Amino acid sequence: MTRSGSTRTEGRPRVIVINDDTDFLSLMSELLTDIEGYNVEVCREGNHAYQFVKERQPDLVILDIRIEGQDVGWAILECLTLDPKTAQIPLIVCSAAIRELQAHEELLERYGIEVLTKPFDLDALLEKVASALARGNRH
């Protein structure tokens, strides 16, 4: 399911949002497309997420760590950070699992992964996205 098609629109960063909540995906797609003009694609199936990202090579991935079960998001994160073809793509982990995020804080920092805890406000989302995209442009 894509918001703006499968081809890259010139000058518009491509963002993939991975989450199993369709309402959340719709909201994120609308916010990032309508407010910032990003080219947003969504993926709601954890078992296809890694391949989805690998094929599309986005400028940013926003990932919920609690997707289709407790460890699926972490497995996706591990695949993305360890594969040389996806390791350079900036990641934002977006989750309400605050204790779990705190337990993995060192790992997230080591890989330079931004964290956005739910619930969040629009300014926090846009700031994290802009920061991650700017970091990705330096590579």
Side-chain angles (χ1 to χ4, degrees):
M1 173 177 170
T2 64
R3 170 79 177 163
S4 53
S6 59
T7 59
R8 174 169 293 213
T9 304
E10 286 302 312
R12 293 175 52 190
R14 187 185 313 180
V15 178
I16 291 179
V17 182
I18 303 168
N19 195 301
D20 56 359
D21 180 338
T22 55
D23 291 335
F24 181 81
L25 289 172
S26 295
L27 176 65
M28 291 291 281
S29 185
E30 280 184 42
L31 290 173
L32 295 173
T33 301
D34 295 346
I35 294 172
E36 294 297 319
Y38 297 132
N39 188 3
V40 178
E41 295 183 85
V42 299
C43 179
R44 61 180 304 260
E45 296 180 29
N47 58 341
H48 297 284
Y50 165 66
Q51 193 62 35
F52 189 82
V53 171
K54 190 173 177 179
E55 289 171 1
R56 286 163 178 78
Q57 290 293 304
D59 298 296
L60 173 66
V61 172
I62 301 173
L63 170 67
D64 187 352
I65 55 167
R66 291 242 175 117
I67 182 171
E68 296 178 3
Q70 199 154 349
D71 294 330
V72 174
W74 290 111
I76 296 166
L77 181 90
E78 182 177 27
C79 289
L80 292 174
T81 56
L82 295 178
D83 184 339
K85 292 180 179 163
T86 56
Q88 81 289 351
I89 300 170
L91 289 164
I92 297 175
V93 169
C94 183
S95 179
I98 294 170
R99 286 191 190 122
E100 197 171 339
L101 292 171
Q102 289 171 338
H104 292 88
E105 188 174 3
E106 185 179 312
L107 172 76
L108 296 169
E109 285 179 9
R110 182 175 354 144
Y111 287 106
I113 297 169
E114 299 268 356
V115 175
L116 183 63
T117 56
K118 295 177 189 174
F120 55 85
D121 65 32
L122 180 59
D123 289 337
L125 168 66
L126 297 178
E127 181 181 310
K128 293 283 185 183
V129 169
S131 172
L133 285 170
R135 197 177 62 250
N137 288 336
R138 289 193 299 252
H139 294 296

